[in-house]
Amino acid sequence: MGGMPQLTQEQQAVIQAFNKANAPLAQAVNEARNALNAAVYTDKPDTADIKAKAERLGAAELALARARAEAFAKLQASPNKLNLPSQQLIMLLGGSGGRFGGPGGFGGGPGGPPPGPPPDGQFGGPPPDNGDGPPDMPPGGGPSGPGGGPSGPGGGPSGPGGGPGGPGGPGGSQAAAKLSGAFTVDGTTQTVADKTLTSDATDVSGVYVVNGGNLVLSNVAVTTTGDTSSQENSSFFGQNAGVLVNKNSRVTIYGGRINTTGGGANGLFAYGVGALASMTGGSITATGEGGHGVMASGGGSLAVTNVDMVTERIHGGVVATDRGGGTIWVSGGKITSHGQDSPGIYSTGDIRAENATFIATGSEGAVIEGRNSIALKNCEMSGALKCGVMIYQSFSGDAEGQEGSFSMEGGSLSAVQGPLFFVNNTGGIIHLQNVKLSVPSGVLVNAAASRWGRTGSNGGHVELKGDTQTLAGDINVDKVSSASVALKNHSVLSGAVHNAALTLDGSSEWRVAADSMLTSLTDADCVSGDTITNIHGNGHTVRYKADLAANQWLGGKTWKLADGGALAPE
């Protein structure tokens, strides 16, 4: 009982007895929680099964909470009554499990800590590396994309793209944030069904779950109209969100809807380590400036399944993480943003999605800042302005690391304007497998300097890998940037390559669309005499750097290409 000198030996003995008596109930809660986790984090979630297991968990937690409440009432009516300040009582009776030596003790709280993410290597689980520090770029101050400058992101092989818009302002602090809710669950377990919850006040969420609270909403409408007093606090901490869950707390939502109209009013927000918000079915709409659909920060986690989401205004990326990062899993649903600088996904954390549709009508399809990630499987994604996917680093202090990762398997990816991928002032790792690509600009990748970083060292550094992948468009790399392209398993690249390294396996090919420049070529499996058989020159000349060790196998010679053209030393 170290650390709580206010407790007498008699009080400690009584609490330990209560813990022992409640242990079976605590075990039932753990088993029910594990069953719910297994139902949620599966490749094919079943809504009815999830709901049944959530009801089982709610009943188990309610039974445990009642037992603890009765035990506490008896304690307070006895000579061993606890005479502690209210804040210490909250800590004592609502903290993490096992404070007094057992899972059934008072310290467990009705719901216990939210479940962790699914295991690595499974869909819905976190990527194996979440970066080297907490990212914290506020999507509310997100980039305006690479197409702002006169050269545009896809202009020429050495023409840098216009820079993204300015970063968010200086960071707020949780002490300054005004976190409250019209309906608040503070350290208890509650279930609400078939009701409407509203808030029209400034900085007041419709629903707020805090201090280890656990809330289940079934077919509930949450509507808020109040504005935020601080866009930063809204993006960093969830101030004024429709539904806000704080650290070590949980909200589980089935159906219903979340509608927010105020400035800085995000739909569903998870802030802090141990915060978990999940929603299955229903819809989320955020129509105010800086209003995102779902958002996590400070290490919070979100899981949404078959939820349709729409944002309408500037700085309203639909699925987003912010300061301190977070993890988001999306399965199914149609996700649409209409505002400027409002990508379908904005990642300063780890975001994964499957079988979902992302449409950004006024922005990029997706943006990654710093060493963070987006992984898509069987999704449809389109960006209407600037580019399809942007990977960058502002060095404003809002996101750490310099190696953003974008991977996509199946589905489709398109950019109405600009390059499909724009990488600036950071490294970008791009993995594509059997994705249908569309890029009317004819620029597949633009790795280039822009407004971010120091002039002369702010290029983009791209590693593009294609597996069973058809790629159409040019690879443009400026003088302070670099790129490598590796194709395998019958992948095909059709386009020009300017200042990039190329690796082809024996089943893949490059169809040259214009005179090109390779830094290096790895393709020894497809040499027949003096001809490289899987590069179709189409009458064009491809130059290579003969002095590089990687090109020694070419012998400094000029080689013939299939269908005419030549590979010649620079």
Side-chain angles (χ1 to χ4, degrees), residues 341-365:
D341 304 337
S342 300
I345 301 177
Y346 193 109
S347 179
T348 63
D350 301 318
I351 298 177
R352 294 191 176 195
E354 68 171 2
N355 302 320
T357 299
F358 295 87
I359 302 171
T361 65
S363 187
E364 309 90 341

Side-chain angles (χ1 to χ4, degrees), residues 207-219:
V207 173
Y208 182 38
V209 186
V210 66
N211 291 328
N214 183 21
L215 173 65
V216 176
L217 300 177
S218 179
N219 193 34

Side-chain angles (χ1 to χ4, degrees), residues 463-476:
E463 178 184 319
L464 171 61
K465 294 183 178 181
D467 183 352
T468 321
Q469 183 62 51
T470 298
L471 301 162
D474 296 344
I475 309 292
N476 293 339

Side-chain angles (χ1 to χ4, degrees), residues 498-524:
H498 302 284
N499 304 317
L502 178 64
T503 298
L504 300 173
D505 75 356
S507 68
S508 299
E509 61 184 79
W510 175 25
R511 300 171 183 172
V512 185
D515 289 351
S516 297
M517 178 68 207
L518 296 179
T519 53
S520 67
L521 174 65
T522 303
D523 190 24

Side-chain angles (χ1 to χ4, degrees), residues 266-314:
N266 302 296
L268 177 60
F269 200 109
Y271 169 73
V273 175
L276 175 63
S278 66
M279 184 170 183
T280 302
S283 64
I284 297 175
T285 303
T287 60
E289 178 178 339
H292 305 76
V294 294
M295 199 168 192
S297 71
S301 298
L302 276 157
V304 290
T305 302
N306 296 327
V307 178
D308 293 334
M309 294 178 267
V310 178
T311 65
E312 297 286 353
R313 299 285 299 280
I314 189 171

